[in-house]
Amino acid sequence: MSPGRLSGEGDTPVHLTIGVTGHRDLLPAEIPELREKVRDFFKQLKSDFPDLEPQLITPLAEGSDRLVADVALDLGYELIVPLPMSQADYEMDFSSPDAVNAFRDSLSKARVVYLRSLNKDPGASPNEEERKRQYAQMGTFISNHSQVLLALWDGKPSLEIGGTASVVNYHLTAVM
């Protein structure tokens, strides 16, 4: 039996699915160290679970999501990208055209999952409250579909629905 394959199942891979949540506003001086810690974390997972094919679920937002995705791609991970709304609406949350281009480049290397719209008018762009609900839905999707949740988080609680603290809380307690 080859690594990452189920006995008797031919080429069906057995995955170790890692979800990511984290802050968008990383401190530039901390990025090299964070990148190295993420790489070490992934290498440790591969050492601990050598027969499992790693895959990463990430929405590819700026900051933590993109940093972790870049490391995962360097290591040959498959990317799964849940989008909480249309791509055009999601891209409105990026800070610059360069950030949008980097998102699109990473997205082209991934499998995309569009989440069901929770908007009152699914054809319209989501308002602020609907966006928060869509982000919360995305966080629960990532948590529910991951064996491991990697959080690049400052550890501070927050009442912001769909933010890093609420996703970590959901992963630990099943309450969003």
Side-chain angles (χ1 to χ4, degrees):
M1 179 170 65
S2 46
R5 306 289 176 209
L6 289 171
S7 176
E9 294 291 329
D11 288 336
T12 304
V14 179
H15 291 102
L16 174 63
T17 305
I18 302 110
V20 64
T21 187
H23 295 300
R24 292 180 185 219
D25 56 347
L26 301 177
L27 298 174
E30 294 179 355
I31 290 174
E33 182 181 358
L34 285 171
R35 188 178 307 278
E36 199 55 42
K37 286 181 184 245
V38 169
R39 184 176 303 281
D40 291 346
F41 176 74
F42 284 162
K43 286 180 180 179
Q44 186 63 52
L45 284 177
K46 189 63 178 165
S47 175
D48 291 345
F49 305 100
D51 294 334
L52 300 179
E53 295 289 329
Q55 61 184 13
L56 182 72
I57 301 179
T58 173
L60 294 174
E62 291 179 86
S64 298
D65 294 349
R66 188 79 50 73
L67 181 146
V68 174
D70 289 347
V71 173
L73 285 170
D74 286 347
L75 295 173
Y77 282 34
E78 175 187 7
L79 292 186
I80 300 167
V81 178
L83 291 181
M85 56 198 71
S86 74
Q87 183 175 334
D89 286 331
Y90 188 62
E91 288 177 353
M92 290 171 44
D93 288 340
F94 289 91
S95 66
S96 70
D98 287 342
V100 171
N101 289 335
F103 164 74
R104 290 177 181 170
D105 181 58
S106 295
L107 192 67
S108 72
K109 301 169 188 159
R111 188 166 38 142
V112 179
V113 176
Y114 287 95
L115 303 180
R116 181 178 60 85
S117 175
L118 300 176
N119 301 342
K120 292 175 186 160
D121 180 3
S125 292
N127 63 37
E128 185 177 340
E129 188 60 34
E130 291 168 336
R131 289 180 93 76
K132 289 178 183 178
R133 284 199 316 268
Q134 292 294 110
Y135 278 108
Q137 178 193 32
M138 182 177 61
T140 59
F141 178 89
I142 291 168
S143 175
N144 289 341
H145 291 86
S146 303
Q147 286 95 14
V148 176
L149 181 68
L150 174 58
L152 275 64
W153 175 44
D154 60 12
K156 296 177 183 174
S158 170
L159 298 177
E160 182 182 346
I161 187 168
T164 304
S166 68
V167 174
V168 170
N169 182 64
Y170 176 79
H171 194 73
L172 297 173
T173 67
V175 175
M176 177 60 77

